[in-house]
Structures are given as structure tokens and as C-alpha cells.
């Protein structure tokens, strides 16, 4: 995590503890900070998309939908349970760790729920046996109902955070390569100086780089420095446009991984065929199902085990798929009342109210 002063005033962009090591170190630090900000841009883009994919409706009082999705994104699983009778916030969700053996279908039995403020609770996600009240002379066993429900982020039950980091790293590398290609298109200056003439050469180059229309000098000053111009990359070798095209494909792949509707051919100037537009639908729809089904199963378990307000809770995609929206519109039109009007010619017309 970067220090807070990196996001402050532009005048404070170079911290004093960095500037103390000299200009060369400052330039290297600025280059590394730029790479870090480039990576953070792509990471924040994908993180925001992942956190806002789903809309939780009518969650019980005290449960934060953002925090629930944050747990699923970073840990791949979260659990919900009841705090106790008479509590102001009767239900809560938190990170969970599996304890003990698992059942026949590799589902956890006992879990430990953990909150950021250090509260931990031992819960059971399956039917379990309680031996409360047993002593040396008598053993009491009772079969107890589960008192916690686990929500998985996807059918694989794995966090997607490392994959999003991979996408962000690859896109940041492409951005760095594009910047290098752009810098190579600039005309480089090869300045040969004698010993002790570095400052004069640097002053001359700074004036040229600043775009000054005229450079005034004293005889024997900076103008005495010989300058050569060398072009290291012709315009034909520039590959920035190809990298930008590859970036678009990689971004489309990342959105497909998240189950977000996207079209990699959206920037084509010619008319895109319908079959080409819908060719990627099956891929991201399967990804949608992999993320939606565990959340729906989680809600069903909460209704059966915890009851109460969980019966009114729903989860859905924040932005429905294009075909789903069309089906909703068609269903609305089919359910709208209509009146059939007959004319003397025998023709009929339908009037929608």
C-alpha cells in the first residue's frame, strides 16, 4: 500500500526522504511510482467491477452487502449466523475458517467465524452432535441443527483476487511498453561533452526540451557543445496501436471471467453481425452461473436455517444481460391489456391500453 502523501498535493509528489538521495534517485522513484499507479488503476477497475456485479435486496438489518462481496472476493467464502436473542443486530456475516473433518461431499462441518474487530464464534454449517451435560457417569448426546450458512464466491470455491491481479499486471506491463514506444519516437540527442562541460550541455538540452524558440548564449558557452541526432525507432516499427488492440482483447477476457456482458468487437467501424456480437454470450453466461448459483444456494440455506428476514432477501445481477432485458420487455408487452377492434372491411387491429 502506498503512503498517503503520494495522493496529496502535486507539489508534494516527491517526499523529502526521497529527494534527499539526489535527482537520479528521484527519477527512478518517479518511474517506479508511475508503474505502481498504472497497476493500481487496472486493479481498481476490475475490483470495482467485481464488487458491484451483484445487487442484494432486503438483507437483514446490520449486514453490509459491500462487506459481504469483499469477503467473497478476497477469501472466496463468507458465513452468516445469528448473534443471539435480544441483540440489536441479530445477524452478522464474517470470514470463516473450516475446522475438523468434512462431510461426504467435501462440505465443511464446523467453522470459526472471524470479524475484523477480533470477535470469533464457533459455528456449525451441518447437522452435529452435542454432548452438553455429559459427565463421568452419564453421557448425553443430542443431534443439533446447523446454525451457520456458508456462501461461496463461485462453484470452484476459490477466491478470484489472484486472477484479477494477474490481469492488472499484464495490462500495466502493456501500458509501460506503450510508453516506451512513445518515448522512442522522440528524437534522441547524443551530446558529446568534455570533462567539466556536463552542466553546459544539460542547460542547452533543457532549453531545447522546453521548446524555446531562440537560445541565447555566450561565445564559448553551451553552443560549443557538439550535438548529434539519432532516430532509434522509425514510425513503421511503432506497435502502440497493436498493443492497444491487444489490451482491449485482454480487458474483454477479464470481463468475461467476471461474467460481465461485453463485446470485444464493439470498436469495429463496420457493421457487426449479430452472430459475432452474441458469440461470446455463452462464455460469460457460464461464468455468471458459476457466481450466481452459490449465492442463491446460500440464500436458500439462510431461509431454511436462520429464517426470519432472510425469506425476503434476494440476490440478482446489478446489470441484467441484454437478452434478459429483452425478455422482460416482451413479457411486459404480452401481459399488457389489449382490445381487438374489427372494421367493416373484415380487418382487425389490436389496441394496447
Amino acid at each position: 500500500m502506498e503512503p498517503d502523501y503520494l495522493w496529496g498535493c502535486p507539489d508534494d509528489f516527491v517526499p523529502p526522504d526521497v529527494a534527499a538521495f539526489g535527482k537520479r534517485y528521484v527519477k527512478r522513484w518517479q518511474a517506479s511510482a508511475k508503474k505502481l499507479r498504472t497497476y493500481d488503476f487496472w486493479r481498481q477497475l476490475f475490483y470495482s467491477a467485481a464488487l458491484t456485479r451483484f445487487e442484494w435486496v432486503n438483507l437483514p438489518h446490520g449486514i453490509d452487502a459491500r462487506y459481504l462481496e469483499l469477503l467473497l472476493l478476497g477469501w472466496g467464502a463468507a458465513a452468516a449466523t445469528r448473534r443471539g436473542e435480544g441483540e440489536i443486530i441479530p445477524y452478522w456475516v464474517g470470514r470463516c475458517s473450516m475446522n475438523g473433518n468434512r462431510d461426504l461431499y467435501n462440505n465443511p462441518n464446523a467453522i470459526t467465524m472471524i470479524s475484523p474487530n477480533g470477535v470469533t464464534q464457533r459455528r456449525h454449517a451441518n447437522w452435529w452432535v452435542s454432548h452438553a451435560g455429559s459427565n463421568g457417569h452419564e453421557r448425553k448426546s443430542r443431534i443439533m441443527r446447523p446454525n451457520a450458512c456458508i456462501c461461496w464466491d463461485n462453484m470452484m470455491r476459490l477466491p478470484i483476487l489472484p486472477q484479477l491481479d494477474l490481469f492488472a499486471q499484464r495490462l500495466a506491463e502493456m501500458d509501460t511498453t506503450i510508453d516506451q514506444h512513445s518515448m522512442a519516437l522522440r528524437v534522441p540527442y547524443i551530446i558529446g561533452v568534455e570533462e567539466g562541460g556536463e552542466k553546459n550541455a544539460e542547460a542547452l538540452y533543457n532549453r531545447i526540451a522546453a521548446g524555446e524558440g531562440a537560445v541565447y548564449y555566450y561565445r564559448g558557452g553551451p553552443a560549443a557543445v557538439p550535438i548529434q541526432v539519432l532516430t532509434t525507432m522509425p514510425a513503421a516499427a511503432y506497435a502502440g496501436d497493436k498493443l492497444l488492440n491487444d489490451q482491449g482483447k485482454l480487458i474483454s477476457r477479464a470481463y468475461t471471467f467476471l461474467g460481465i456482458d461485453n463485446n470485444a468487437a464493439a470498436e469495429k467501424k463496420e457493421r457487426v453481425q449479430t452472430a459475432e456480437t452474441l458469440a461470446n454470450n455463452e462464455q460469460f453466461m457460464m461464468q455468471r452461473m458459476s457466481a450466481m448459483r452459490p449465492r442463491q444456494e446460500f440464500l436458500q440455506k439462510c431461509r431454511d436455517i436462520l429464517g426470519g428476514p432472510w425469506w425476503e432477501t434476494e440476490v440478482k445481477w446489478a446489470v441484467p444481460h441484454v437478452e434478459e432485458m429483452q425478455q422482460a420487455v416482451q413479457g411486459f408487452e404480452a401481459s399488457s391489456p389489449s382490445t381487438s377492434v374489427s372494421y367493416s372491411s373484415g380487418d382487425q387491429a389490436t389496441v394496447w391500453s
Side-chain angles (χ1 to χ4, degrees):
M1 190 66 182
E2 290 186 275
D4 295 336
Y5 52 70
L6 295 185
W7 307 100
C9 178
D11 298 335
D12 302 329
F13 179 74
V14 181
D17 56 343
V18 175
F21 289 93
K23 293 182 178 180
R24 294 182 179 179
Y25 183 82
V26 168
K27 292 182 178 179
R28 291 196 300 267
W29 181 87
Q30 288 176 334
S32 62
K34 179 181 179 182
K35 292 181 180 179
L36 181 59
R37 282 177 170 81
T38 303
Y39 160 76
D40 188 71
F41 164 77
W42 293 110
R43 182 183 62 176
Q44 184 175 354
L45 177 68
F46 294 140
Y47 283 15
S48 300
L51 288 176
T52 56
R53 290 180 299 169
F54 295 95
E55 180 181 356
W56 295 82
V57 183
N58 296 328
L59 276 172
H61 173 67
I63 294 183
D64 186 2
R66 181 205 62 85
Y67 180 66
L68 174 59
E69 286 294 335
L70 193 65
L71 291 176
L72 297 177
L73 175 64
W75 299 94
T81 186
R82 184 189 297 271
R83 292 175 59 91
E85 299 295 339
E87 295 285 348
I88 299 178
I89 302 178
Y91 304 96
W92 72 289
V93 295
R95 181 166 59 92
C96 62
S97 61
M98 292 59 173
N99 308 122
N101 298 326
R102 301 196 175 198
D103 64 4
L104 295 176
Y105 301 102
N106 201 30
N107 296 313
N109 289 315
I111 61 174
T112 300
M113 296 184 58
I114 308 169
S115 66
N117 58 2
V119 175
T120 60
Q121 286 186 341
R122 175 90 171 192
R123 289 293 185 265
H124 297 82
N126 253 325
W127 293 85
W128 56 290
V129 179
S130 174
H131 301 291
S134 302
N135 51 45
H137 304 282
E138 184 180 4
R139 182 177 180 84
K140 297 181 180 180
S141 300
R142 293 183 300 169
I143 298 179
M144 306 294 293
R145 292 175 55 86
N147 51 20
C149 304
I150 301 178
C151 180
W152 306 98
D153 184 56
N154 48 68
M155 298 296 291
M156 291 296 295
R157 299 184 175 182
L158 295 174
I160 63 175
L161 198 59
Q163 283 72 21
L164 297 183
D165 278 336
L166 177 61
F167 283 116
Q169 290 175 9
R170 295 187 62 185
L171 289 168
E173 288 293 336
M174 287 185 177
D175 278 339
T176 302
T177 306
I178 293 173
D179 291 342
Q180 291 174 350
H181 274 241
S182 300
M183 293 176 61
L185 290 178
R186 302 177 183 175
V187 179
Y189 293 83
I190 300 177
I191 304 176
V193 298
E194 297 180 357
E195 185 177 359
E198 293 88 355
K199 291 185 177 180
N200 291 334
E202 184 177 0
L204 176 62
Y205 175 76
N206 289 338
R207 292 181 180 180
I208 296 175
E212 295 185 7
V215 178
Y216 300 94
Y217 64 95
Y218 293 100
R219 292 182 179 182
V225 178
I227 299 178
Q228 296 180 4
V229 179
L230 177 63
T231 302
T232 58
M233 177 180 291
Y238 177 71
D241 52 348
K242 298 180 181 179
L243 289 173
L244 288 173
N245 186 31
D246 292 339
Q247 267 194 333
K249 296 178 180 179
L250 191 58
I251 294 172
S252 177
R253 188 185 306 176
Y255 284 146
T256 300
F257 174 75
L258 293 173
I260 298 176
D261 196 350
N262 64 92
N263 181 15
E267 296 183 357
K268 288 187 176 181
K269 295 182 180 180
E270 64 273 12
R271 184 175 180 180
V272 181
Q273 299 295 329
T274 304
E276 184 179 357
T277 305
L278 303 179
N280 194 40
N281 283 2
E282 185 176 356
Q283 301 179 24
F284 71 80
M285 289 302 292
M286 296 302 293
Q287 292 297 121
R288 280 195 170 203
M289 184 60 64
S290 176
M292 174 62 79
R293 184 175 296 175
R295 288 166 172 81
Q296 292 175 341
E297 294 177 353
F298 164 71
L299 285 182
Q300 186 60 41
K301 291 181 180 179
C302 289
R303 298 185 186 109
D304 298 337
I305 296 174
L306 303 177
W310 289 100
W311 284 99
E312 302 176 0
T313 305
E314 297 179 0
V315 60
K316 59 183 179 180
W317 279 93
V319 179
H321 180 46
V322 177
E323 293 181 356
E324 296 174 358
M325 296 176 63
Q326 293 176 353
Q327 292 176 2
V329 173
Q330 293 175 0
F332 171 77
E333 293 178 351
S335 61
S336 299
S338 61
T339 303
S340 179
V341 180
S342 300
Y343 296 93
S344 57
S345 60
D347 298 334
Q348 291 185 352
T350 301
V351 180
W352 299 92
S353 58

